[in-house]
Coordinates of all heavy atoms in Angstrom, one line a residue:
S52 N 29.5 71.8 54.0 CA 28.5 72.4 53.2 C 27.4 73.0 54.1 O 27.1 72.4 55.1 CB 27.8 71.4 52.3 OG 28.8 70.8 51.4
E53 N 27.0 74.2 53.7 CA 25.9 74.9 54.5 C 24.6 74.9 53.7 O 24.6 75.5 52.6 CB 26.3 76.3 54.9 CG 25.4 77.0 55.9 CD 26.0 78.3 56.4 OE1 27.2 78.2 57.0 OE2 25.3 79.3 56.3
L54 N 23.6 74.2 54.2 CA 22.4 74.0 53.4 C 21.2 74.4 54.2 O 21.1 74.3 55.5 CB 22.3 72.5 53.1 CG 23.5 71.8 52.4 CD1 23.4 70.3 52.4 CD2 23.6 72.4 51.0
P55 N 20.1 74.9 53.6 CA 18.9 75.2 54.3 C 18.1 74.0 54.7 O 18.1 73.0 54.0 CB 18.1 76.1 53.3 CG 18.6 75.6 51.9 CD 20.0 75.1 52.1
G56 N 17.4 74.1 55.8 CA 16.6 72.9 56.3 C 15.5 73.4 57.2 O 15.4 74.5 57.6
R57 N 14.6 72.4 57.5 CA 13.5 72.6 58.4 C 13.5 71.5 59.5 O 13.9 70.3 59.2 CB 12.2 72.4 57.6 CG 11.9 73.6 56.7 CD 11.3 74.8 57.4 NE 11.0 75.9 56.5 CZ 10.6 77.1 56.9 NH1 10.4 77.3 58.2 NH2 10.3 78.0 56.1
V58 N 13.1 71.9 60.7 CA 13.0 71.0 61.8 C 11.7 70.2 61.8 O 10.7 70.7 61.4 CB 13.1 71.8 63.1 CG1 13.1 70.8 64.3 CG2 14.4 72.6 63.2
D59 N 11.8 68.9 62.1 CA 10.7 68.0 62.0 C 10.7 67.1 63.2 O 11.8 66.6 63.6 CB 10.6 67.2 60.7 CG 9.3 66.5 60.5 OD1 8.3 66.9 61.2 OD2 9.3 65.6 59.7
A60 N 9.5 66.8 63.8 CA 9.5 65.9 65.0 C 9.8 64.5 64.6 O 9.5 64.1 63.5 CB 8.1 66.0 65.6
V61 N 10.4 63.8 65.5 CA 10.7 62.4 65.2 C 9.4 61.6 65.1 O 9.2 60.7 64.2 CB 11.5 61.8 66.4 CG1 11.7 60.3 66.2 CG2 12.9 62.4 66.4
R62 N 8.4 61.9 66.0 CA 7.1 61.2 65.9 C 6.0 62.3 66.1 O 6.1 63.1 67.1 CB 7.0 60.1 66.9 CG 7.8 58.9 66.5 CD 7.4 57.7 67.4 NE 7.8 57.8 68.8 CZ 7.4 57.0 69.7 NH1 6.7 55.9 69.4 NH2 7.9 57.2 71.0
D63 N 5.0 62.3 65.3 CA 3.8 63.1 65.5 C 2.6 62.1 65.7 O 2.3 61.3 64.9 CB 3.4 63.9 64.2 CG 4.4 65.1 64.0 OD1 4.9 65.6 65.1 OD2 4.6 65.5 62.9
A64 N 2.0 62.3 66.9 CA 0.8 61.5 67.2 C -0.4 62.3 67.2 O -0.6 63.2 68.0 CB 1.0 60.8 68.6
Q65 N -1.3 62.1 66.2 CA -2.6 62.8 66.2 C -3.6 62.1 67.1 O -3.9 60.9 66.8 CB -3.1 62.9 64.7 CG -2.2 63.7 63.8 CD -2.8 63.8 62.4 OE1 -3.8 63.2 62.1 NE2 -2.1 64.6 61.5
I66 N -4.0 62.8 68.1 CA -4.9 62.2 69.0 C -6.3 62.3 68.5 O -6.9 63.4 68.3 CB -4.9 62.8 70.4 CG1 -3.4 62.9 70.9 CG2 -5.7 62.1 71.4 CD1 -2.7 61.6 71.0
R67 N -7.0 61.1 68.1 CA -8.3 61.2 67.5 C -9.3 60.3 68.2 O -8.9 59.3 68.9 CB -8.2 60.6 66.0 CG -7.3 61.6 65.1 CD -7.3 61.0 63.7 NE -6.6 61.9 62.8 CZ -7.1 63.0 62.2 NH1 -8.4 63.2 62.3 NH2 -6.4 63.7 61.4
A68 N -10.5 60.6 68.1 CA -11.6 59.9 68.8 C -11.8 58.6 68.0 O -11.9 58.5 66.8 CB -12.9 60.7 68.8
R69 N -12.0 57.5 68.8 CA -12.2 56.2 68.3 C -13.7 55.8 68.5 O -14.2 54.8 67.9 CB -11.3 55.1 68.9 CG -9.9 55.4 68.5 CD -9.0 54.2 69.0 NE -7.6 54.3 68.6 CZ -6.7 53.4 68.8 NH1 -7.0 52.3 69.4 NH2 -5.5 53.6 68.4
V70 N -14.4 56.5 69.4 CA -15.8 56.2 69.6 C -16.5 57.6 69.6 O -15.9 58.6 69.8 CB -16.0 55.5 71.0 CG1 -15.5 54.1 71.0 CG2 -15.4 56.3 72.1
T71 N -17.8 57.5 69.4 CA -18.6 58.7 69.3 C -19.2 59.0 70.7 O -19.6 58.1 71.4 CB -19.8 58.5 68.3 OG1 -19.3 58.3 67.0 CG2 -20.7 59.7 68.3
G72 N -19.1 60.3 71.1 CA -19.6 60.6 72.4 C -19.3 62.1 72.7 O -18.7 62.8 72.0
I73 N -19.7 62.4 74.0 CA -19.5 63.8 74.5 C -18.3 63.8 75.3 O -18.1 63.0 76.2 CB -20.8 64.2 75.3 CG1 -22.0 64.2 74.4 CG2 -20.5 65.7 75.8 CD1 -22.0 65.1 73.2
V74 N -17.4 64.8 75.1 CA -16.2 65.0 75.9 C -16.6 65.5 77.2 O -17.2 66.5 77.4 CB -15.2 66.0 75.2 CG1 -14.0 66.1 76.0 CG2 -14.8 65.4 73.8
Q75 N -16.2 64.7 78.3 CA -16.5 65.1 79.6 C -15.4 65.9 80.4 O -15.6 66.7 81.2 CB -16.9 63.9 80.5 CG -18.2 63.2 80.1 CD -18.5 62.1 81.1 OE1 -17.6 61.4 81.6 NE2 -19.8 61.9 81.3
K76 N -14.1 65.6 80.0 CA -13.0 66.1 80.7 C -11.8 66.2 79.9 O -11.5 65.4 79.0 CB -12.7 65.2 81.9 CG -11.6 65.5 82.8 CD -11.4 64.5 83.9 CE -10.2 64.8 84.8 NZ -10.0 63.8 85.8
L77 N -11.0 67.3 80.1 CA -9.6 67.5 79.6 C -8.7 67.3 80.7 O -8.8 68.0 81.7 CB -9.4 68.8 79.0 CG -9.8 69.0 77.5 CD1 -11.3 68.9 77.3 CD2 -9.3 70.4 77.0
A78 N -7.8 66.3 80.6 CA -6.9 65.9 81.7 C -5.4 66.2 81.5 O -4.6 65.5 82.0 CB -7.1 64.4 82.0
F79 N -5.1 67.3 80.8 CA -3.7 67.6 80.6 C -3.6 69.1 80.6 O -4.5 69.9 80.5 CB -3.2 67.1 79.2 CG -3.9 67.6 78.0 CD1 -3.4 68.7 77.4 CD2 -5.1 67.1 77.6 CE1 -4.1 69.3 76.3 CE2 -5.8 67.6 76.5 CZ -5.3 68.7 75.8
E80 N -2.3 69.6 80.7 CA -2.0 71.0 80.6 C -1.6 71.4 79.2 O -0.7 70.7 78.7 CB -0.8 71.3 81.6 CG -0.5 72.8 81.7 CD 0.7 73.1 82.6 OE1 1.1 72.2 83.4 OE2 1.1 74.2 82.6
Q81 N -2.2 72.4 78.7 CA -1.9 72.8 77.3 C -0.4 73.2 77.2 O 0.1 73.9 78.0 CB -2.8 73.9 76.9 CG -4.3 73.6 76.9 CD -5.1 74.8 76.5 OE1 -4.7 75.5 75.5 NE2 -6.3 75.0 77.0
G82 N 0.2 72.7 76.1 CA 1.6 73.0 75.9 C 2.6 72.3 76.8 O 3.8 72.6 76.8
G83 N 2.1 71.4 77.6 CA 3.0 70.7 78.6 C 3.5 69.3 78.0 O 3.1 68.9 76.9
D84 N 4.3 68.7 78.8 CA 4.9 67.4 78.4 C 3.9 66.3 79.0 O 3.4 66.4 80.1 CB 6.3 67.2 79.0 CG 7.3 68.1 78.4 OD1 7.1 68.4 77.2 OD2 8.2 68.6 79.0
V85 N 3.7 65.3 78.2 CA 2.9 64.2 78.6 C 3.7 62.9 78.4 O 4.6 62.8 77.6 CB 1.6 64.1 77.7 CG1 0.7 65.3 78.0 CG2 1.9 64.0 76.2
K86 N 3.3 61.9 79.2 CA 3.9 60.6 79.1 C 3.1 59.6 78.3 O 1.9 59.8 78.1 CB 4.1 60.0 80.6 CG 5.0 60.9 81.5 CD 6.4 61.0 81.0 CE 7.3 61.7 81.9 NZ 8.7 61.8 81.4
E87 N 3.7 58.5 77.9 CA 3.0 57.5 77.2 C 1.9 56.9 78.0 O 2.1 56.6 79.2 CB 4.0 56.4 76.7 CG 3.4 55.3 75.9 CD 4.4 54.3 75.4 OE1 5.6 54.5 75.7 OE2 4.0 53.3 74.7
N88 N 0.7 56.7 77.5 CA -0.4 56.1 78.1 C -1.1 57.1 79.2 O -1.9 56.7 80.0 CB -0.1 54.8 78.8 CG 0.3 53.7 77.8 OD1 -0.3 53.7 76.7 ND2 1.2 52.9 78.1
Q89 N -0.7 58.4 79.2 CA -1.3 59.3 80.1 C -2.7 59.7 79.6 O -2.9 59.9 78.4 CB -0.4 60.6 80.2 CG -1.0 61.7 81.1 CD -0.1 62.9 81.2 OE1 1.2 62.7 81.1 NE2 -0.6 64.0 81.4
L90 N -3.6 59.8 80.5 CA -5.0 60.2 80.1 C -5.0 61.7 79.7 O -4.5 62.6 80.3 CB -5.9 60.0 81.4 CG -7.4 60.4 81.1 CD1 -8.0 59.5 80.1 CD2 -8.2 60.4 82.4
L91 N -5.6 61.9 78.5 CA -5.8 63.2 77.9 C -7.2 63.7 77.9 O -7.5 64.8 78.3 CB -5.2 63.2 76.5 CG -3.8 62.8 76.3 CD1 -3.4 62.8 74.9 CD2 -2.8 63.6 77.2
F92 N -8.2 62.9 77.5 CA -9.6 63.2 77.4 C -10.4 62.1 78.0 O -10.0 60.9 78.0 CB -10.0 63.5 76.0 CG -9.3 64.6 75.3 CD1 -8.1 64.4 74.6 CD2 -9.8 65.9 75.3 CE1 -7.5 65.4 73.9 CE2 -9.2 66.9 74.6 CZ -8.0 66.7 74.0
K93 N -11.6 62.5 78.5 CA -12.6 61.5 79.0 C -13.9 61.7 78.2 O -14.5 62.8 78.3 CB -12.8 61.7 80.5 CG -13.8 60.6 81.1 CD -13.2 59.3 81.1 CE -14.1 58.3 81.8 NZ -13.5 56.9 81.8
I94 N -14.3 60.7 77.4 CA -15.5 60.7 76.7 C -16.6 60.0 77.6 O -16.3 59.0 78.3 CB -15.4 60.0 75.3 CG1 -14.3 60.8 74.5 CG2 -16.7 59.9 74.6 CD1 -14.0 60.1 73.2
D95 N -17.8 60.5 77.5 CA -18.9 59.9 78.3 C -19.0 58.4 78.1 O -19.3 57.9 77.0 CB -20.2 60.6 77.9 CG -21.4 60.1 78.7 OD1 -21.2 59.4 79.8 OD2 -22.6 60.3 78.4
P96 N -18.7 57.6 79.2 CA -18.7 56.2 79.0 C -20.0 55.4 79.2 O -20.1 54.2 79.0 CB -17.7 55.7 80.1 CG -17.9 56.7 81.2 CD -18.3 58.0 80.5
A97 N -21.1 56.2 79.6 CA -22.3 55.5 80.0 C -22.9 54.6 78.9 O -23.2 53.4 79.2 CB -23.3 56.6 80.4

Side-chain angles (χ1 to χ4, degrees):
S52 298
E53 191 169 304
L54 307 167
R57 289 280 182 182
V58 179
D59 191 16
V61 172
R62 289 193 290 175
D63 286 331
Q65 295 183 356
I66 310 302
R67 295 183 178 272
R69 295 187 177 186
V70 292
T71 299
I73 302 298
V74 178
Q75 288 186 330
K76 178 183 178 182
L77 273 67
F79 63 92
E80 181 181 355
Q81 301 182 35
D84 294 327
V85 297
K86 300 294 184 181
E87 185 177 356
N88 296 324
Q89 178 179 331
L90 178 66
L91 303 179
F92 298 90
K93 182 70 175 179
I94 299 175
D95 183 10

